[in-house]
Amino acid sequence: MNAPLPLKVTRQVAGSAYDTVARGSNEVAGKLAARLAAQTRGEVLFSPADRGRYSTDASIYQVEPVGVFVPRGSEDVKLALDVCRDLKVPVIARGAGTSQCGQTVGAGLVIDYSKHLRQILHFDAASRTAEVEPGMVLDHLNLALKKLGLWYPVDVSTSAQATLGGMAGNNSCGSRSIAYGNMVHNVVGAQAWTSDGELHNFGRYDDSAGAVREIGRRIKELAGQLAPEIDERWPKQLRRVGGYNLDVFRPQSVRPYTQDGSVNLAHLLVGSEGTLALTRSLTLQLSELPQAKVLGVVNFPTFYKAMDSAQHIVKLGTDGALTAVELVDRTMIELSLQNPAFAPVIRSAVIGEPDAVLLVEFSGADKPALARKLQQLVELMGDLGLPGSVVQMIEDAPQKNLWEVRKAGLNIMMSLKGDGKPVSFIEDCAVPLEHLAEYTDALTQVFRKHGTRGTWYAHASVGTLHVRPILDMRTSGAPKMRAIAEEASALVRKYKGAYSGEHGDGLCRGEWIAWQFGPKIEQAFAEIKKLFDPIDLLCPHRIVDPPRMDDARLMRFPPSYKVIALQTALDWSAWDVQNDPATERISEPGTGADPAHGFAKAVEMCNNNGHCRKFDAGTMCPSYRATRDEKHLTRGRANTLRLALSGQLGESGIGSEEVRDALDLCVSCKGCKRDCPTGVDMARMKVEFLHHYKKKHGYTLKDRLVARLPDYARRASGMAWLLNLRNRSQMLARLGEKLLGFSARRSLPAWQSRHFFNDTPRTATREEALAAAKAVVLFVDTFNGFFESANARAALQVLQAAGYTVHLAAKLLPDGKHLCCGRTYLASGMVDEAKAKAREVIESLLPFADQGIAIVGLEPSCLLTLRDEMLAMGLGTPAQKVSQHAMLFEEFLSREAQAGRLDEFKRRLRPLDKRVLLHGHCHQKAFAAVTPILEVLKLIPGVQPELIESSCCGMAGSFGYEAGHYDVSMEMAELNLLPAVRKFPGAIVVADGTSCRHQIQDGAQREAVHAAVLLAAQL
Ligand SMILES: Cc1cc2nc3c(=O)[nH]c(=O)nc-3n(C[C@H](O)[C@H](O)[C@H](O)COP(=O)(O)OP(=O)(O)OC[C@H]3O[C@@H](n4cnc5c(N)ncnc54)[C@H](O)[C@@H]3O)c2cc1C
Ligand code: SF4
Ligand code: SF4
């Protein structure tokens, strides 16, 4: 049990929670918040913005909850359940909220299990089972199991974020379900609270007792009474997840629920979508991790032939070695070919121009045996009239690359701009394989009839092909959705399939349960619901008594959806477009009729798929990884912006405090720009937001000091000794924190009285450079120019040693200041000032760009501003031209080395016998500019640089220097970067970002160097 909270704290929290709710909500919500705050240790989130953030999942729906509760321990769930029962407030359980059918949205208390309830409670090696808390993410479990040679094999595409509780709720299915089955086949027990507050153990029926036994007995009786209906109406597919699993007592699926034919009552909870009980723990059956895999890529001349062949291919799997047959269609192949990174991978897998390919995977203990299975596949395809159609992949690396492409193809499809979006509502109907070709063909005709189209992909092995027709839910989307759903259902019936085959029922498919199972079974489902939850407290109106799928009141984008007019500071016109659903052609920029000139549409690109909740040590999303708060997640931010822009958070619109709070911990790392499947670029959105917010609320002294740094740097460096006193005196540091907000726990960058700009080495003039055979422009930024001028000198030395005529970028009309990218102004929301800086940059550097001369910079955030934000300022073709020639120091050297222009330089580099670690700056990662650094470091004989798998260092410009952000900044650094640096005390650490170097110094007391310094040292 929890220790009770100190009384004073309890009262305070309860009081403030009550106030928050009383202002924005009704009496019951106020009482609920107050009691949750007083009686539990959980987080009580009842503000309009919090409720807004939890009013959507990866579906098209939006329903505002009464409030959100984030339990810190499972006892909090029980307490919250008791309070809700008392106040008659429905409870909606939620994991990662990646459901596609609206399962996790509802007008009750949303309980978010994902933040704290994520432990493995028990592991049993003998039975190969693990008992886990429901908020645990699948990938995290599998990471822990890997060292034991085990895994949990329900490998959903959302494995990096989906929780096991959510997977059980939806009876989720992975790509390899043909071998391992669905969630229900891999759960052996559950502990759960029914709505009366009782905690029960659900397991084998034969071993059950008490209330659970009684529930089981009655359901057994029901199954007996309804035997003829069950036999007649129940889909026989492996992929049937609609309704409740009444057939545990009369199995219908081609795959039995249990190996020994016993009945397990935990299986009643699987797929029940939070409507029967709240899970406390799940006991999972684990599998042996396959030692080896091979992949056969079968190329088909027609889509129809691919679909028709699936039924024959699966017969190769009778020995259990066949683990996946996944479809990639022509559209996806083409989309992948457009991506420079994926094109070589897909080219290596296709023969000619196939209309579709099937990825056929065999797994097992022994590669040679699997290679023989591939041979059987080749023979089979020959028998089916397609000799020479199989590309065989025996090695692991090409297989892995191809699976990545398959995932990315879907992501590209989802990034369609405009109000028409691929909508998931018949995405997972399952039909018997012998009818797959006819079914997909007929449904494609249905789409055509309704003026739309869909791209097909995924699980051909089990007859569940994903397809999302493009619909505009703000206009004709809802009626079209119903019409297509009705025609699709007729096809599903014709081919004796399952309408809900993977993603559950939710709001979208609840009304199809009666259609699928008939009135008697529907009635039985209502009785099952009553047996577990007679007071209808848990997720009401799901599965039983569901709403209409096209009820506009439940939609995220109903026809009444409006955006508040906004004059944007940046150019968002690329998003202000519409698309033609039949061809996917996009209209001209600026024609989308967005009252916010494309900004709202850019924000609305977030479809809530939750990809930003992943925990890989990439770049996205560091503030979520540090806090695990929905509010501090890219999705939470996009939702907050969307609600604000559409007036759903009040009249303040974008300039509201709610948006400020949500964006506060965004470190503008641009991780989302790179990783988000739909290209949500929160860093750029934060600039737009800050512009409006600061215009409304004014700039602080700190804002001005940070923004104007480039302009006063020269004068300030003249007082270096005085200003640097702050780093030596705690009293001054504390005063600085009080007056300016810079953390006293930090040192500030040290000023140099002799810096690069007042002691500049000889460089070429503009004319000399423009006339030179091998010229380059060195763009020295404020940070490397005034604070770390050794870096700028080193870069100059390297470029000159490599034989280049180097011109130092400077203003065309000198005014005593250096040329600046405007980054500090952007970071403070001063877009007009940043534009003025960008104009100066273009004015000065365009002649070089026109002549194809590279503009090389050292500080990633500065140089990459020329490639990113400068293009969003409406500065036209000249900006594009300069941008095309702006390169990071290593990008330039890597390009030159590959062109054979650095051979002599390479010979001059002395060997280095030391371990070299590299920390990539977030913006380098976002612009795929990390590989060039590795390549350039390898020019030094003996150096084999190792990339630290890290996310943002946590410093992010001025972010980490700010007192209010110090703790979270250090937490971000401690996620990966600092432990990795500490692990190798003798290693050289390379980090190109000035903030990153500072963070490494502060957090690990190690001096990191710019790559230019390391190269220069070896000359
Ligand atoms: C891009 C994309 C790809 C997807 N790919 C797949 C796929 O390959 N296979 C697949 O099956 N699905 C897929 N899905 C759907 C979804 O990701 C899965 O259903 C996933 O398992 C849901 O996990 P979650 O943690 O997000 O659950 P949530 O969406 O949060 O919840 C799912 C259900 O479980 C209930 N629930 C959650 N926790 C509890 C609890 N503690 N007690 C009781 N009920 C609870 C909820 O009320 C809800 O009904 C995909 C979704 C997206 C957006
Ligand atoms: S921000 Fe991107 S990754 Fe995150 S939920 Fe939205 S679309 Fe998905
Ligand atoms: S810019 Fe970085 S911190 Fe901000 S939302 Fe994107 S990934 Fe998260």
Side-chain angles (χ1 to χ4, degrees):
M1 273 302 282
N2 291 319
L5 287 171
L7 199 60
K8 200 166 156 225
V9 175
T10 312
R11 287 221 180 99
Q12 266 174 8
V13 175
S16 67
Y18 183 85
D19 286 350
T20 320
V21 172
R23 264 185 273 123
S25 186
N26 60 40
E27 192 61 24
V28 176
K31 283 188 188 152
L32 175 62
R35 284 187 59 182
L36 290 173
Q39 294 172 12
T40 75
R41 290 187 311 146
E43 298 171 41
V44 181
L45 310 175
F46 273 56
S47 76
D50 282 319
R51 300 204 312 269
R53 280 186 282 270
Y54 280 88
S55 64
T56 47
D57 51 18
S59 68
I60 52 174
Y61 298 102
Q62 174 173 324
V63 180
E64 194 176 12
V66 173
V68 180
F69 181 64
V70 185
R72 285 185 206 277
S74 52
E75 61 287 346
D76 286 336
V77 178
K78 150 83 174 134
L79 291 169
L81 180 63
D82 289 345
V83 174
C84 284
R85 188 176 56 252
D86 208 17
L87 295 175
K88 300 188 174 49
V89 174
V91 176
I92 295 107
R94 175 166 163 134
T98 67
S99 286
Q100 295 195 14
C101 303
Q103 287 92 321
T104 69
V105 301
L109 180 75
V110 170
I111 299 186
D112 178 351
Y113 278 78
S114 66
K115 184 170 177 184
H116 300 293
L117 302 181
R118 49 189 173 83
Q119 304 300 320
I120 299 178
L121 299 172
H122 182 69
F123 170 71
D124 187 80
S127 63
R128 281 199 188 148
T129 55
E131 187 188 6
V132 300
E133 287 187 308
M136 180 164 217
V137 168
L138 174 61
D139 272 2
H140 301 179
L141 172 66
N142 277 335
L143 188 66
L145 293 173
K146 197 173 174 184
K147 49 185 177 295
L148 305 170
L150 298 173
W151 75 314
Y152 188 65
V154 187
D155 57 338
V156 291
S157 311
T158 40
S159 62
Q161 57 270 12
T163 63
L164 287 145
M167 289 170 62
N170 284 349
N171 191 4
S172 294
C173 327
S175 294
R176 295 172 174 87
S177 63
I178 187 171
Y180 298 99
N182 308 343
M183 197 64 192
V184 77
H185 302 108
N186 295 278
V187 169
V188 291
Q191 256 199 351
W193 291 278
T194 40
S195 58
D196 57 5
E198 288 301 315
L199 183 65
H200 303 285
N201 287 316
F202 293 88
R204 281 169 57 94
Y205 174 62
D206 288 348
D207 303 338
S208 63
V212 173
R213 176 81 184 181
E214 183 48 28
I215 289 175
R217 189 200 59 75
R218 177 61 192 137
I219 293 174
K220 186 178 181 188
E221 207 171 82
L222 276 175
Q225 284 161 5
L226 293 172
E229 273 80 10
I230 293 177
D231 292 348
E232 189 200 328
R233 311 281 309 222
W234 210 275
K236 314 299 175 212
Q237 277 73 32
L238 167 69
R239 293 305 199 93
R240 186 279 316 160
V241 301
Y244 294 130
N245 295 330
L246 172 61
D247 68 330
V248 284
F249 286 105
R250 197 171 177 83
Q252 298 293 312
S253 167
V254 286
R255 186 182 185 108
Y257 280 101
T258 55
Q259 301 273 335
D260 60 4
S262 62
V263 172
N264 190 316
L265 295 177
H267 294 167
L268 289 167
L269 299 187
V270 177
S272 68
E273 302 185 3
T275 60
L276 299 184
L278 294 180
T279 315
R280 181 185 171 276
S281 72
L282 291 162
T283 303
L284 308 172
Q285 185 65 59
L286 310 173
S287 292
E288 200 174 318
L289 202 55
Q291 306 292 309
K293 286 180 185 171
V294 297
L295 188 66
V297 186
V298 190
N299 287 250
F300 292 91
T302 62
F303 181 81
Y304 191 93
K305 182 77 180 165
M307 294 299 87
D308 197 38
S309 302
Q311 56 187 312
H312 307 294
I313 293 173
V314 295
K315 292 190 185 127
L316 296 174
T318 43
D319 58 357
L322 182 79
T323 40
V325 183
E326 293 279 299
L327 166 75
V328 178
D329 81 352
R330 181 77 221 149
T331 313
M332 279 219 185
I333 293 173
E334 273 166 15
L335 289 170
S336 310
L337 284 170
Q338 284 164 23
N339 180 311
F342 298 140
V345 180
I346 201 92
R347 266 193 226 109
S348 70
V350 297
I351 303 168
E353 291 191 357
D355 210 33
V357 297
L358 289 177
L359 311 188
V360 184
E361 183 189 80
F362 298 98
S363 308
D366 173 30
K367 224 167 216 182
L370 296 176
R372 287 195 288 281
K373 293 294 300 183
L374 266 189
Q375 209 41 51
Q376 287 177 19
L377 176 67
V378 171
E379 286 159 19
L380 172 69
M381 295 324 296
D383 294 347
L384 293 175
L386 291 175
S389 61
V390 183
V391 175
Q392 300 183 47
M393 294 189 174
I394 308 282
E395 299 307 318
D396 293 342
Q399 293 181 47
K400 191 169 166 284
N401 292 342
L402 196 59
W403 284 118
E404 290 298 321
V405 173
R406 142 84 170 84
K407 275 193 193 171
L410 165 63
N411 293 344
I412 298 169
M413 184 188 88
M414 291 305 298
S415 60
L416 183 68
K417 288 178 183 161
D419 293 347
K421 301 285 182 205
V423 177
S424 161
F425 62 102
I426 45 158
E427 158 153 293
D428 53 339
C429 302
V431 296
L433 287 187
E434 63 269 27
H435 303 305
L436 199 55
E438 283 169 54
Y439 167 74
T440 49
D441 202 37
L443 198 51
T444 301
Q445 302 303 331
V446 171
F447 295 155
R448 207 165 286 152
K449 189 172 110 193
H450 291 282
T452 183
R453 68 192 293 232
T455 295
W456 295 91
Y457 64 97
H459 321 302
S461 54
V462 285
T464 307
L465 288 179
H466 291 336
V467 66
R468 298 181 176 197
I470 298 164
L471 299 174
D472 180 355
M473 301 310 290
R474 298 169 213 211
T475 55
S476 58
K480 276 193 184 176
M481 176 170 83
R482 172 162 293 281
I484 293 173
E486 276 168 8
E487 291 185 52
S489 67
L491 292 169
V492 169
R493 174 147 295 155
K494 179 175 167 191
Y495 297 120
K496 295 195 169 30
Y499 191 69
S500 182
E502 180 173 301
H503 294 152
D505 296 323
L507 292 167
C508 188
R509 265 111 50 115
E511 62 172 298
W512 299 91
I513 290 176
W515 168 90
Q516 177 89 69
F517 296 97
K520 288 190 181 160
I521 295 177
E522 185 196 15
Q523 188 51 41
F525 288 167
E527 191 166 331
I528 293 175
K529 168 76 176 169
K530 263 216 167 66
L531 286 169
F532 280 86
D533 178 23
I535 54 174
D536 207 13
L537 193 73
L538 304 176
C539 283
H541 304 293
R542 303 288 187 282
I543 300 183
V544 171
D545 192 19
R548 280 173 67 87
M549 70 187 293
D550 52 347
D551 186 338
R553 290 167 304 174
L554 304 173
M555 298 280 172
R556 198 183 329 169
F557 295 110
S560 58
Y561 182 84
K562 289 271 176 308
V563 165
I564 302 172
L566 182 77
Q567 197 53 53
T568 57
L570 295 172
D571 177 8
W572 298 92
S573 61
W575 283 267
D576 193 10
V577 295
Q578 293 296 354
N579 60 53
D580 177 343
T583 61
E584 296 190 25
R585 256 198 295 277
I586 304 289
S587 66
E588 286 300 305
T591 59
D594 180 354
H597 301 282
F599 182 49
K601 289 202 190 303
V603 167
E604 291 158 9
M605 290 301 292
C606 172
N607 64 6
N608 278 266
N609 63 57
H611 190 67
C612 39
R613 291 174 67 100
K614 71 191 168 77
F615 269 76
D616 306 5
T619 47
M620 181 180 189
C621 166
S623 47
Y624 173 70
R625 291 177 63 217
T627 63
R628 292 176 186 263
D629 287 335
E630 182 73 24
K631 174 173 155 184
H632 299 303
L633 170 72
T634 320
R635 175 174 76 177
R637 291 176 178 131
N639 275 326
T640 314
L641 276 167
R642 178 178 55 80
L643 294 165
L645 289 169
S646 54
Q648 297 181 71
L649 290 180
E651 285 171 11
S652 314
I654 186 175
S656 68
E657 293 303 327
E658 285 86 354
V659 180
R660 193 202 71 87
D661 287 351
L663 294 189
D664 184 39
L665 299 191
C666 168
V667 287
S668 300
C669 68
K670 303 192 186 184
C672 42
K673 180 188 172 81
R674 187 192 70 167
D675 289 352
C676 165
T678 67
V680 170
D681 182 354
M682 195 51 65
R684 192 184 282 190
M685 290 173 186
K686 187 169 180 180
V687 172
E688 184 70 50
F689 155 73
L690 281 172
H691 171 84
H692 297 279
Y693 182 83
K694 293 290 179 181
K695 277 233 151 108
K696 188 169 166 192
H697 299 277
Y699 294 96
T700 61
L701 181 56
K702 177 172 62 64
D703 293 334
R704 292 178 207 279
L705 274 177
V706 170
R708 304 217 160 111
L709 174 68
D711 289 326
Y712 64 76
R714 191 176 283 263
R715 265 177 292 140
S717 62
M719 300 184 286
W721 64 272
L722 183 65
L723 295 174
N724 290 342
L725 280 181
R726 182 267 177 211
N727 282 351
R728 278 180 243 130
S729 155
Q730 255 309 301
M731 195 189 72
L732 287 177
R734 277 199 293 274
L735 192 66
E737 177 166 328
K738 210 164 173 195
L739 296 179
L740 302 171
F742 293 118
S743 171
R745 290 184 278 176
R746 287 260 184 223
S747 61
L748 291 180
W751 291 95
Q752 297 180 318
S753 52
R754 189 166 157 251
H755 50 77
F756 188 78
F757 292 119
N758 64 10
D759 186 20
T760 317
R762 160 91 180 102
T763 50
T765 62
R766 291 177 72 83
E767 293 69 28
E768 285 167 349
L770 286 168
K774 265 178 87 176
V776 66
V777 175
L778 181 61
F779 180 92
V780 177
D781 57 275
T782 308
F783 306 98
N784 286 303
F786 288 102
F787 297 98
E788 297 183 274
S789 47
N791 297 345
R793 290 201 176 89
L796 181 60
Q797 186 191 351
V798 169
L799 292 170
Q800 288 175 335
Y804 293 90
T805 303
V806 185
H807 169 66
L808 188 62
K811 291 192 183 186
L812 202 57
L813 300 172
D815 62 357
K817 294 179 186 166
H818 63 294
L819 203 59
C820 165
C821 66
R823 159 67 39 205
T824 57
Y825 285 102
L826 283 170
S828 307
M830 298 184 191
V831 178
D832 297 336
E833 290 83 344
K835 268 187 203 172
K837 296 282 178 203
R839 282 198 190 93
E840 287 180 341
V841 167
I842 295 167
E843 199 175 47
S844 165
L845 302 183
L846 187 59
F848 298 98
D850 276 339
Q851 224 167 283
I853 297 174
I855 299 152
V856 171
L858 302 175
E859 170 58 35
S861 58
C862 292
L863 186 279
L864 293 171
T865 302
L866 310 190
R867 293 229 296 256
D868 191 358
E869 287 88 348
M870 197 172 80
L871 297 177
M873 293 179 178
L875 301 176
T877 322
Q880 283 169 12
K881 195 85 201 230
V882 170
S883 160
Q884 280 157 12
H885 291 86
M887 307 178 90
L888 282 164
F889 175 74
E890 298 88 347
E891 289 180 303
F892 174 72
L893 288 181
S894 154
R895 183 190 79 177
E896 297 299 285
Q898 278 173 27
R901 292 192 281 264
L902 292 188
D903 294 348
E904 177 53 33
F905 171 75
K906 280 196 276 185
R907 277 193 281 278
R908 288 181 60 186
L909 287 171
R910 287 179 292 121
L912 179 65
D913 183 20
K914 271 201 141 182
R915 173 172 240 136
V916 175
L917 302 178
L918 171 66
H919 164 68
H921 185 283
C922 294
H923 295 185
Q924 286 173 319
K925 291 176 195 152
F927 282 82
V930 174
T931 308
I933 318 174
L934 294 168
E935 286 166 1
V936 166
L937 292 174
K938 281 185 202 156
L939 296 180
I940 303 171
V943 169
Q944 282 304 322
E946 294 161 50
L947 184 63
I948 299 174
E949 279 294 320
S950 56
S951 176
C952 178
C953 70
M955 202 58 137
S958 67
F959 180 89
Y961 290 105
E962 293 163 17
H965 292 151
Y966 175 82
D967 289 329
V968 74
S969 161
M970 293 314 296
E971 275 170 43
M972 288 184 203
E974 291 292 353
L975 284 172
N976 305 96
L977 173 61
L978 296 181
V981 169
R982 287 188 201 113
K983 197 169 161 197
F984 299 107
I988 295 173
V989 183
V990 173
D992 280 357
T994 185
S995 309
C996 314
R997 288 191 292 273
H998 205 104
Q999 183 77 312
I1000 292 167
Q1001 178 68 59
D1002 276 7
Q1005 292 73 51
R1006 294 271 294 282
E1007 191 185 344
V1009 294
H1010 194 288
V1013 171
L1014 193 59
L1015 282 170
Q1018 298 313 113
L1019 280 171

